[in-house]
C-alpha cells in the first residue's frame, strides 16, 4: 500500500553504457526483467520498483509517494527543502523534485 512520504521508486542512470547494455547486465547477473517506455527508459519491479534512464545524472534518484502532491511540496519548502523542478506531469502521474538541506536530490510523485 502506498503511503505519503514512503520510498516508492528509484531511478538509476544508464550512463557509461547503453540502456540495452545495462539491462543485459542486470538480467544476466540477477535475473531482472524490464518494461521499456521508449528508447531512453526501462522500468523494473525487483523488490523496490524503479527504472533506468539513459539521460540523467549518474546518481540514484529516490522517489517518495504522496497522496496530496501540492501539500507535500509546501511541507518540503516549509521544512527547509528547495524545489528544483516544480510539479510536472509524466506518463503515470505527476511529480516534483527537491533538494534536502544536505544537498540530496529526491522526487515526490502522486497519481
Amino acid at each position: 500500500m502506498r503511503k505519503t512520504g514512503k520510498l516508492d521508486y528509484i531511478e538509476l542512470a544508464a550512463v557509461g553504457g547503453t540502456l540495452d547494455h545495462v539491462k543485459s547486465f542486470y538480467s544476466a547477473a540477477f535475473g531482472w526483467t524490464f518494461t521499456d517506455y521508449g528508447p531512453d527508459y526501462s522500468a523494473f519491479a525487483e523488490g523496490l520498483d524503479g527504472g533506468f534512464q539513459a539521460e540523467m545524472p549518474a546518481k540514484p534518484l529516490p522517489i517518495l509517494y504522496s497522496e496530496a502532491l501540492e501539500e507535500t511540496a509546501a511541507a518540503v519548502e516549509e521544512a527547509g527543502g528547495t524545489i528544483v523542478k516544480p510539479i510536472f506531469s509524466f506518463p503515470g502521474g505527476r511529480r516534483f523534485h527537491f533538494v534536502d538541506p544536505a544537498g540530496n536530490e529526491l522526487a515526490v510523485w502522486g497519481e
Side-chain angles (χ1 to χ4, degrees):
M1 172 185 250
R2 292 188 163 124
K3 296 186 106 179
T4 297
K6 301 298 180 189
L7 280 172
D8 188 65
Y9 201 85
I10 189 162
E11 289 186 341
L12 302 168
V15 175
T18 67
L19 185 57
D20 287 339
H21 181 74
V22 172
K23 289 169 35 184
S24 178
F25 168 79
Y26 281 93
S27 292
F30 302 107
W32 288 16
T33 59
F34 296 90
T35 302
D36 292 333
Y37 293 96
D40 297 326
Y41 197 88
S42 191
F44 56 83
E46 303 295 341
L48 176 64
D49 291 353
F52 285 99
Q53 185 165 338
E55 301 294 327
M56 72 176 278
K59 57 185 176 182
L61 178 66
I63 302 173
L64 309 173
Y65 179 77
S66 174
E67 297 172 36
L69 205 56
E70 287 78 9
E71 290 176 21
T72 301
V76 164
E77 289 185 304
E78 289 171 19
T82 302
I83 305 293
V84 294
K85 288 186 185 177
I87 295 172
F88 63 94
S89 295
F90 69 95
R94 299 180 311 132
R95 77 185 200 189
F96 68 91
H97 293 210
F98 71 94
V99 174
D100 70 15
N104 298 300
E105 184 174 342
L106 290 88
V108 180
W109 86 281
E111 298 173 83

